[in-house]
């Protein structure tokens, strides 16, 4: 089944154009030095992107893994009732937000079909059983609801996170090199809090699920005219960088 291409809603004002890609790129460059700017830019962009598939106004949104709270601000500003589940108590404690719960994405403490929009940004590569977590996102979403799931593919330029691009020579090697150069281990420890995950795995998982419709799959940060890289096996592992899967619960 080819990836569906959905038309962005004019009502959101969000567009997958080159100016938006360049704005995100400038924000990415200051992730370490100005995290407020980076995460605020990404959160506002993400809510606009989600809004092209599901209206957040009045919707119940569950964010799995967004512990710093920037997505909370953006979704609530868009009119959503927002809840957050994150497994990291350190991140949750940095901003004591209402509606937050500590819990595992692989065993969400939520009943079946309870949320309108289930959102997870760049978390799957950090869990040892990513497709169990993805299954959980579907389970807690109501029929007709939307799942917006994104993750960073291992073979892309940022697949090793702060150890990139040396992760392409092996995750253990990249971690050792980082510690030798920086004098401390990387935050994202390969085999502990960072794992290999491919674009092909995500596409296969989404297509094999009978309880969801794959609305669209695309490279998250690319302008729309570059979405075609996802159609080329091999190339998509390197060029997609970050895969988005938009699903609708049957």
């Amino acid at each position: 089944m080819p990836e569906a291409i959905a038309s962005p809603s004019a009502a959101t004002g969000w567009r997958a154009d080159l100016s938006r890609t360049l704005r995100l790129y400038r924000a990415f460059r200051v992730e370490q030095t100005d995290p407020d700017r980076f995460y605020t830019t990404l959160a506002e962009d993400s809510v606009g992107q989600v809004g092209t598939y599901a209206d957040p106004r009045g919707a119940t949104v569950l964010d799995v893994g967004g512990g710093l709270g920037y997505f909370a601000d953006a979704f609530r500003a868009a009119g959503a009732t927002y809840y957050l589940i994150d497994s990291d108590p350190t991140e949750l404690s940095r901003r004591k937000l209402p509606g937050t719960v500590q819990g595992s994405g692989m065993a969400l403490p939520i009943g079946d079909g309870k949320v309108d929009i289930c959102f997870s940004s760049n978390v799957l590569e950090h869990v040892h059983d990513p497709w169990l977590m993805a299954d959980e996102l579907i389970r807690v979403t109501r029929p007709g609801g939307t799942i917006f799931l994104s993750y960073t593919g291992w073979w892309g330029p940022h697949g090793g996170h702060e150890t990139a691009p040396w992760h392409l020579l092996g995750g253990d090697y990249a971690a050792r090199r980082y510690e030798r150069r920086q004098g401390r281990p990387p935050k994202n420890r390969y085999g502990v809090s960072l794992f290999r995950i491919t674009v092909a795995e995500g596409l296969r998982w989404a297509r094999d699920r009978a309880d969801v419709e794959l609305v669209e799959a695309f490279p998250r940060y690319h302008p729309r005219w570059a979405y075609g890289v996802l159609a080329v096996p091999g190339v998509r592992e390197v060029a997609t960088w970050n895969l988005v899967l938009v699903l609708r619960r049957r």
Side-chain angles (χ1 to χ4, degrees), residues 144-195:
T146 299
I147 299 99
F148 186 98
L149 173 62
S150 78
Y151 66 89
T152 301
W154 177 257
W155 298 111
H158 195 55
H161 289 43
E162 67 267 44
T163 69
W166 302 101
H167 70 289
L168 298 173
L169 299 179
D172 291 324
Y173 167 78
R176 291 194 303 271
R177 183 184 185 279
Y178 182 93
E179 185 167 4
R180 188 169 62 251
R181 294 294 184 92
Q182 302 297 325
R184 64 182 189 278
K187 174 185 176 182
N188 299 286
R189 296 173 58 196
Y190 178 71
V192 177
S193 59
L194 182 65
F195 302 89

Side-chain angles (χ1 to χ4, degrees), residues 48-72:
Q49 196 169 47
V50 171
T52 67
Y53 303 96
D55 191 345
R57 293 174 299 178
T60 299
V61 174
L62 176 64
D63 180 358
V64 180
L68 292 174
Y70 293 95
F71 290 105

Side-chain angles (χ1 to χ4, degrees), residues 17-173:
D17 55 20
L18 183 59
S19 64
R20 173 251 180 186
T21 297
L22 293 174
R23 182 174 66 254
L24 290 173
Y25 175 72
R26 288 191 291 268
F28 294 150
R29 293 179 64 187
V30 299
E31 178 181 1
Q32 300 298 320
T33 58
D34 191 357
D36 282 348
R37 174 185 167 189
F38 166 71
Y39 285 110
T40 298
T41 300
L42 179 61
E44 291 175 349
D45 179 82
S46 298
V47 172
Q49 196 169 47
V50 171
T52 67
Y53 303 96
D55 191 345
R57 293 174 299 178
T60 299
V61 174
L62 176 64
D63 180 358
V64 180
L68 292 174
Y70 293 95
F71 290 105
D73 297 338
F75 272 112
R76 286 172 178 158
T81 299
Y82 173 94
Y83 298 96
L84 166 66
I85 293 176
D86 197 288
S87 63
D88 189 338
T90 302
E91 292 202 349
L92 288 175
S93 67
R94 289 173 63 180
R95 294 182 67 193
K96 297 185 183 301
L97 297 168
T100 63
V101 175
Q102 183 180 345
S104 170
M106 293 177 287
L108 293 172
I110 303 288
D112 296 354
K114 297 297 185 181
V115 302
D116 301 308
I117 300 171
C118 199
F119 174 84
S120 184
S121 172
N122 299 343
V123 179
L124 283 193
E125 67 265 30
H126 298 293
V127 298
H128 67 83
D129 194 341
W131 307 116
L132 175 59
M133 176 177 152
D135 291 344
E136 280 287 275
L137 302 186
I138 293 174
R139 179 185 65 78
V140 302
T141 305
R142 66 167 176 81
T146 299
I147 299 99
F148 186 98
L149 173 62
S150 78
Y151 66 89
T152 301
W154 177 257
W155 298 111
H158 195 55
H161 289 43
E162 67 267 44
T163 69
W166 302 101
H167 70 289
L168 298 173
L169 299 179
D172 291 324
Y173 167 78

